[in-house]
Amino acid sequence: MLPGFVDTHIHFPQMFRVGCYGESLLGWLEKYIFPEEERMSQGNLAAKYSPLFFRELFKGGTTTSMIVSNSDLKTTHFLFEAAKATGARAIIGKASMDRMGPKSILRGTAQDQEETYQLIEKWHGEAERLYYAITPRFSPACSLKTLKMLGQLSQEYPTLRVQTHFAETLEELKLVRESFPNFKDYLATYEEHGLIHSRTVLAHAIFATSHELKRIKTRGAHISHCPTSNMFLGSGLYPLEKFSQQKTVTSIGTDVGAGTSFSIWSSLAAAYQVQRLRGGDITPGQLFHMATLSGAQALGLEDHIGNFNAGKFADVQVLDWSKSPILRKNIEHSQNPLERFFATLFQFERGLISDVFIQGKKVTD
Ligand code: GUN
Ligand code: ZN
């Protein structure tokens, strides 16, 4: 039995687009992702597929996730409804974007604000396990007007989380410099609108400068490291020690559909390999913490989840070694629980998880 994992960055409408060949971030968004997000906003597709999305997360041991939805209201309502019905713990935000993509997935500032209010009022705090996250997709997809509106919302509702992308690829940095010539750096495009604080999760942050690192620390924001995505798109290798040295929390995300697995087990295996490739290290204990208590801290849920301390909710994944005879033998050689955990990362398969509980309630069949 282990605490359920916390996935601090995943995109619901990209669930069927894992493994789209041959592009890096901006080309991949344009060629594969924006058309899919448009498709997933049609009819009842989001209602049809969102329960499957949560069940897939459960099969990978994830009990809590921070999710980027589509830019539209309907998809996001369906996603919250499925989270409620399946028993998932989730922080969900409608992707705010008023430029860069095809017109059909853009929302002007006024409509975006109105729809975001509706989602907050209906869902934020529901059942002690559903919360809303203000979600500027990333600065290049937001006008100053939209960033300002989102920053004001963040001040108005001090318990809302903020999620966004930050410093993921070099071509993205160039685009930010061109789009925001009056800002001193990428972080400032969020920071000067009041969007960087202790309830903020920045996905990727690979290319954060030393100035940005310091301000992330001072403001108490958190990182979601998404290694399978970073390798798939060829974005870069996350400089873990820069964040660890200054005690900024690094949590872990799958970032499906750029990420190649729905499972945090596989993301942790990738996180280890990324640090090895850099000539660095990350210990089994650090990896375990990243997927549990660090995730809870990043989402402001450390009083609710992240370990089995008395008084927290029972979010639990149960593994059954007998489902994998080779891993079972491997485990017999292990000297302690962390060795067992570490061996499991590399041979994880969905069938290993026999049961998942959230808030004490069984959510798997
Ligand atoms: N940056 C802006 N949008 C996206 C997205 O959908 N996925 C990833 N990985 N990065 C982004
Ligand atoms: Zn992402």
Side-chain angles (χ1 to χ4, degrees):
M1 270 171 57
L2 292 173
F5 284 156
V6 182
D7 180 346
T8 59
H9 187 69
I10 184 165
H11 297 253
F12 160 68
Q14 301 175 13
M15 65 183 285
F16 300 119
R17 298 269 72 191
V18 172
C20 292
Y21 171 76
E23 298 282 343
S24 44
L25 175 64
L26 301 178
W28 173 83
L29 284 172
E30 203 172 321
K31 186 166 168 185
Y32 300 113
I33 296 307
F34 293 154
E36 178 69 354
E37 294 188 354
E38 182 174 8
R39 189 184 76 83
M40 286 289 271
S41 71
Q42 285 160 12
N44 286 340
L45 283 188
K48 182 170 172 194
Y49 292 123
S50 44
L52 176 65
F53 176 79
F54 288 108
R55 283 201 298 274
E56 191 64 21
L57 290 174
F58 300 156
K59 294 251 164 67
T62 296
T63 48
T64 298
S65 46
M66 183 177 230
I67 309 170
V68 182
S69 175
N70 255 341
S71 53
D72 69 290
L73 180 68
K74 183 179 67 173
T75 301
T76 314
H77 269 310
F78 282 144
L79 191 55
F80 268 114
E81 268 159 20
K84 186 167 184 192
T86 57
R89 190 181 303 285
I91 303 186
I92 301 173
K94 183 174 101 71
S96 291
M97 52 191 298
D98 61 351
R99 57 179 180 173
M100 216 185 120
K103 226 171 162 211
S104 59
I105 67 166
L106 302 182
R107 290 291 175 281
T109 310
Q111 183 186 356
D112 193 35
Q113 179 177 27
E114 170 52 34
E115 292 178 349
T116 303
Y117 270 128
Q118 286 184 39
L119 289 163
I120 295 166
E121 291 301 325
K122 176 143 178 61
W123 293 109
H124 187 58
E126 174 75 15
E128 282 192 282
R129 57 183 170 80
L130 303 177
Y131 301 93
Y132 192 80
I134 294 168
T135 309
R137 182 176 201 127
F138 66 159
S139 309
C142 297
S143 67
L144 289 176
K145 204 169 153 201
T146 285
L147 287 171
K148 188 168 168 211
M149 178 276 287
L150 295 173
Q152 281 167 353
L153 266 180
S154 178
Q155 310 303 318
E156 194 179 328
Y157 291 89
T159 61
L160 291 182
R161 278 56 167 189
V162 174
Q163 60 175 341
T164 191
H165 297 93
F166 170 65
E168 177 179 3
T169 73
L170 292 172
E171 58 172 0
E172 170 200 3
L173 299 198
K174 185 161 170 281
L175 182 61
V176 172
R177 279 194 297 274
E178 288 161 7
S179 312
F180 296 90
N182 298 327
F183 287 77
K184 65 173 180 270
D185 53 27
Y186 193 167
L187 192 73
T189 64
Y190 299 125
E191 191 180 26
E192 292 185 18
H193 293 101
L195 289 163
I196 302 294
H197 46 60
S198 62
R199 288 163 285 111
T200 303
V201 178
L202 298 168
H204 308 294
I206 299 171
F207 300 103
T209 64
S210 55
H211 289 115
E212 290 172 321
L213 279 163
K214 277 201 203 102
R215 280 143 51 214
I216 289 170
K217 168 65 191 165
T218 310
R219 295 192 179 278
H222 312 282
I223 310 298
S224 178
H225 170 36
C226 305
T228 72
S229 164
N230 298 157
M231 290 196 287
F232 180 73
L233 293 176
S235 306
L237 303 176
Y238 179 69
L240 176 71
E241 73 286 350
K242 288 193 190 168
F243 293 91
S244 308
Q245 277 157 13
Q246 60 171 25
K247 299 203 163 44
T248 290
V249 171
T250 295
S251 62
I252 189 146
T254 57
D255 195 25
V256 161
T260 53
S261 168
F262 281 78
S263 174
I264 287 296
W265 287 95
S266 302
S267 300
L268 292 171
Y272 176 71
Q273 291 168 92
V274 163
Q275 294 315 312
R276 297 301 290 179
L277 278 172
R278 295 182 62 248
D281 188 26
I282 177 167
T283 65
Q286 281 176 299
L287 288 162
F288 182 70
H289 200 281
M290 210 183 233
T292 53
L293 196 56
S294 292
Q297 286 165 341
L299 303 187
L301 295 176
E302 67 274 21
D303 293 339
H304 291 195
I305 55 162
N307 56 29
F308 290 156
N309 285 1
K312 293 200 185 187
F313 288 121
D315 287 13
V316 182
Q317 53 178 317
V318 184
L319 275 72
D320 179 359
W321 308 120
S322 70
K323 296 279 165 42
S324 170
I326 292 181
L327 182 58
R328 198 183 69 199
K329 279 278 170 215
N330 190 329
I331 297 290
E332 283 170 15
H333 291 294
S334 305
Q335 305 292 321
N336 58 53
L338 277 175
E339 279 191 15
R340 272 184 250 161
F341 166 75
F342 191 67
T344 307
L345 298 185
F346 298 93
Q347 286 169 71
F348 179 78
E349 47 190 90
R350 286 158 36 113
L352 273 179
I353 296 192
S354 55
D355 295 303
V356 175
F357 298 83
I358 298 176
Q359 229 143 292
K361 185 166 163 274
K362 191 160 176 268
V363 295
T364 39
D365 311 324

